[in-house]
């Protein structure tokens, strides 16, 4: 009998801990987001967008003001769960940078930035699996998924991204359903 009571007690403790953690996480995700923190970290968001789309023969993401687009999309077009995930992820990036390299992300070298962003991507790699989809539905989009999505949308809809990173024709010709590309040829922005 004592063994059975011990197992029930341990199960009750584990269940209570899981329930309290889930409750805390749900409370944290549904609370009102702190947009002052987001606005005060514009340079960090700009650095993260530049890691995703760096300067090549076309301008970088921050030169196209994509970080402002990302902030605006998070503040105005995202649900509160996604907003809180983004703010928590932004704080987590700085913590990870301090733990891994003992300096802020802006002070890191390019290789160190890539290591950190790869670590974020590895944490988010199960987002397309069924459990990731359920997690996204219940707890909102993850930080890295939101960052990537809004960076790419913002860059390729900006003037610099559409005209310099892609081929752009102000007056497009007839619509062609299947257009073949040569190696290293830019995609069309207007087709």
């Amino acid at each position: 009998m004592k063994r059975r009571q011990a197992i029930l007690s341990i199960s009750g403790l584990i269940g209570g801990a899981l329930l309290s953690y889930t409750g805390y996480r749900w409370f944290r995700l549904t609370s009102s987001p702190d947009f002052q923190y987001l606005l005060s970290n514009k340079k960090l968001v700009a650095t993260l967008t530049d890691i995703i789309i760096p300067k090549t023969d076309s301008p970088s993401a921050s030169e196209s003001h994509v970080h402002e687009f990302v902030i605006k999309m998070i503040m105005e077009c995202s649900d509160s769960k996604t907003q809180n995930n983004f703010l928590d992820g932004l704080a987590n990036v700085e913590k990870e940078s301090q733990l891994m390299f003992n300096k802020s992300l802006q002070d890191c070298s390019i290789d160190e930035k890539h290591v950190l962003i790869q670590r974020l991507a590895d944490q988010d790699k199960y987002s397309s699996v069924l459990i990731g989809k359920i997690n996204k539905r219940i707890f909102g989009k993850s930080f890295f998924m939101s960052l990537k999505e809004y960076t790419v949308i913002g860059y390729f809809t900006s003037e610099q991204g559409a005209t310099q990173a892609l081929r752009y024709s102000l007056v497009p010709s007839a619509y062609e359903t299947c257009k073949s590309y040569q190696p290293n040829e830019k995609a069309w922005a207007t087709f």
Side-chain angles (χ1 to χ4, degrees):
M1 277 309 237
K2 291 183 181 182
R3 197 174 345 159
R4 198 175 284 167
Q5 287 176 343
I7 291 173
L8 286 174
S9 298
I10 291 172
S11 298
L13 284 172
I14 292 173
L18 287 174
L19 189 61
S20 63
Y21 172 73
T22 305
Y24 168 75
R25 188 167 177 197
W26 183 258
F27 174 74
R28 176 69 184 110
L29 288 176
T30 56
S31 63
S32 63
D34 179 22
F35 291 131
Q36 281 305 115
Y37 179 75
L38 182 61
L39 294 172
S40 66
N41 283 302
K42 273 188 178 182
K43 286 185 178 182
L44 178 60
V45 176
T47 302
L48 288 167
T49 58
D50 279 347
I51 295 170
I52 294 172
I53 301 179
K55 181 179 177 77
T56 56
D57 58 339
S58 59
S60 69
S62 65
E63 291 173 345
S64 300
H65 303 286
V66 172
H67 59 287
E68 293 173 8
F69 175 80
V70 170
I71 291 171
K72 189 171 186 86
M73 291 297 287
I74 291 296
M75 290 176 63
E76 297 178 8
C77 299
S78 299
D79 59 3
S80 64
K81 292 183 269 186
T82 302
Q83 291 169 342
N84 284 319
N85 281 338
F86 193 84
L87 293 171
D88 290 344
L90 208 56
N92 188 34
V93 165
E94 277 300 309
K95 287 178 193 171
E96 289 288 327
S97 178
Q98 289 293 336
L99 285 173
M100 292 173 70
F101 309 114
N102 290 329
K103 52 187 164 182
S104 177
L105 183 69
Q106 284 100 350
D107 300 332
C108 292
S109 69
I110 293 172
D111 292 332
E112 291 171 339
K113 290 177 184 178
H114 285 286
V115 167
L116 185 62
I117 207 83
Q118 186 60 47
R119 185 171 177 154
L120 290 173
D122 288 343
Q123 291 172 354
D124 200 36
K125 70 181 174 183
Y126 297 111
S127 63
S128 63
V129 183
L130 180 64
I131 293 173
K133 290 180 181 179
I134 293 169
N135 194 22
K136 177 183 163 190
R137 177 68 121 184
I138 295 171
F139 295 114
K141 280 190 214 172
S142 68
F143 163 73
F144 193 64
M145 183 185 295
S146 299
L147 179 69
K148 283 191 310 185
E149 180 180 344
Y150 293 144
T151 299
V152 170
I153 290 171
Y155 185 73
F156 289 111
T157 56
S158 70
E159 181 180 353
Q160 292 88 354
T163 58
Q164 295 176 25
L166 300 172
R167 287 190 288 176
Y168 180 78
S169 176
L170 183 61
V171 182
S173 60
Y175 178 70
E176 298 177 38
T177 57
C178 188
K179 189 162 179 77
S180 59
Y181 289 96
Q182 302 301 321
N184 298 325
E185 187 177 19
K186 293 180 180 179
W188 282 97
T190 53
F191 284 124

